[in-house]
Each structure stands twice: as C-alpha cells, then as structure tokens.
Amino acid sequence: MTSIDPAEVAKFSAIAAEWWDPAGKFAPLHKFNPVRLSFIRSEAASHFGRDARSLRPFEGLSLLDIGCGGGLLAEPMARLGFAVTGADASERNIGTARAHAAQSGLVIDYRATTAEALVEEGVGFDVVLNMEVVEHVADVDAYLAACTALVKPGGLTLVATLNKTLKSLALAKIGAEYVLGWLPRGTHDWNRFIPPTELKVALEESGLTILKTQGVSFDPLGWDWRLSSDVDVNYMVVAQR
C-alpha cells in the first residue's frame, strides 16, 4: 500500500532537471528556503540541546527529508552535520539530487522510495522533515501515519503545508499560479490544502505531541518570506515523539 499519487509524481518528474535553477520553475522554493532552513535549525538545536551557532551542530543525529525533490533542504542539513537520508517517489528527482550532491561533495543517502516502504524496513530518524509534501499525496492520513512512524522516540518532526482558506486560494493558488506566474499552473490543488487543526489532530493520533505551529508570510515590501503569526496560507507544525 502507498499514499503516493502517480499524477503528482509525474508532474514533478517532468521538471526534475530544474530543481537547482534559482530562476526556473522552482524559483519560489529557492526564495522560501532561507526562512525554512533557519526555522529548522533553530527548532532542532533547541530540542536536542545543540549550539545553533556552531558550524555542524547536529553531528551524531539522523535526518530524513521525505519528498526531498532535488535536495534543496537535504544538502544544507548535511552541511549542518546531520546524517541525511533523502527519499522521493520520483526516480528523476532522486537522480537530480544525487548528481548535485556529488558535485557538491556531500554524502547523502538518496532513495527513490516511499514513507511506507521505509516503515517496512524498520528504520527510524531523529528528525523527519515533511516539507510541502502533504498537499500532494493521495491519502493524507496514511501518509502521515507512515511518516510519523519513522520518528524515533524523543525525535522531532516538522511538517510544512498550506492552509485551506479563501486567502490561500487567492494567494497560493490563483495569485501564485495565474496572476504572478510564480508557480506552473496546476502545481497545487486547493482542495488538498489542510487546516492546521486537522493536521495537528492527525499527528496527535499518531502518538506525537504538538510543540509549535508557526506561520510563514510573504513580505511584499522586502520581497521576501518571514516567520509570522499568520497561518492563513503557509504554516509549519513542529511535533515530538
């Protein structure tokens, strides 16, 4: 059994070669990445008692980036000292990620696999990143159950996705895809967006404890992303086992 949506995998496989082009189809993620990285680093350092200011604060800890795409998060996590596993259902995404990691001189265990398959292997990780993937799967409950099963006792998971509000429909769907052209048309299906309450209930039912819900907003004046109290569009949930 798998929660993978083949149509979504095909959609991202078709543009897999563009993952590392900051001016290409994944340009919004390149712009979004710094605020995600800073938040992950801060939360993980606090949770595990590490010095976030050191060069490699997470030596000795394992991290899974599920739905890793071309490795935009996996590579900086490896540089911070994590033993990183990157998993994606798209063979083409993994091919791009492996090639770029080799060019960067980074050792990352990239696998073309699913969360369910990793659960069957019996593996576990100190940190599981689940960033902008939930809204692309066929069965959210099954997917989250598999992902949370991969979090070790005492471990941490971070889930980032989009809220299902009229504001997110206007900004993340219509605005981003049809007005501004930030994303290819059809990137998102608003019907798959998930309210924070539903996401948190699913995580709690999987045995996790919610630690934080963090909004992320686009600042049109600075033309950049920032952490905020606004969860109407983009948000992240932090939970521990």
Side-chain angles (χ1 to χ4, degrees), residues 186-198:
T187 296
H188 289 120
D189 178 352
W190 181 78
N191 293 303
R192 294 189 177 197
F193 291 5
I194 305 166
T197 51
E198 290 185 17

Side-chain angles (χ1 to χ4, degrees), residues 21 24 41 65 71 91 102 106 126 150 156 192:
D21 180 1
R41 182 173 187 157
D65 184 8
E91 291 272 4
L106 295 170
D126 297 302
L150 295 166
L156 199 66
R192 294 189 177 197

Side-chain angles (χ1 to χ4, degrees), residues 141-220:
D141 290 337
Y143 173 71
L144 287 174
C147 291
T148 54
L150 295 166
V151 182
K152 289 181 178 180
L156 199 66
T157 189
L158 293 92
V159 184
T161 189
L162 290 149
N163 198 348
K164 192 175 184 180
T165 62
L166 291 178
K167 185 175 178 179
S168 70
L169 175 62
L171 297 181
K173 178 62 181 176
I174 298 171
E177 295 182 21
Y178 292 89
V179 179
L180 298 172
W182 286 351
L183 299 170
R185 294 185 178 187
T187 296
H188 289 120
D189 178 352
W190 181 78
N191 293 303
R192 294 189 177 197
F193 291 5
I194 305 166
T197 51
E198 290 185 17
L199 178 59
K200 288 189 282 188
V201 166
L203 293 174
E204 288 172 336
E205 288 180 347
S206 296
L208 303 187
T209 300
I210 306 300
L211 299 179
K212 179 181 291 187
T213 303
Q214 177 68 59
V216 187
S217 300
F218 184 73
D219 178 8

Side-chain angles (χ1 to χ4, degrees), residues 38-146:
S38 176
F39 183 72
I40 294 166
R41 182 173 187 157
S42 174
E43 292 300 309
S46 175
H47 184 74
F48 293 103
R50 303 297 178 95
D51 182 0
R53 297 167 298 178
S54 66
L55 288 177
R56 294 175 62 84
F58 304 116
E59 292 280 6
L61 296 175
S62 59
L63 179 144
L64 170 68
D65 184 8
I66 190 75
C68 64
L72 298 187
L73 280 174
E75 288 201 9
M77 291 297 107
R79 290 190 176 94
L80 288 173
F82 281 112
V84 177
T85 297
D88 199 285
S90 167
E91 291 272 4
R92 292 191 65 186
N93 283 349
I94 291 299
T96 297
R98 284 175 176 158
H100 197 274
Q103 293 172 0
S104 302
L106 295 170
V107 177
I108 298 173
D109 181 13
Y110 281 120
R111 306 186 194 183
T113 188
T114 64
E116 290 88 349
L118 290 171
V119 171
E120 289 194 8
E121 288 182 28
V123 295
F125 303 87
D126 297 302
V127 177
V128 174
L129 298 183
N130 195 333
M131 312 299 277
E132 289 81 39
V133 181
V134 178
E135 65 271 22
H136 298 289
V137 301
D139 186 329
V140 173
D141 290 337
Y143 173 71
L144 287 174

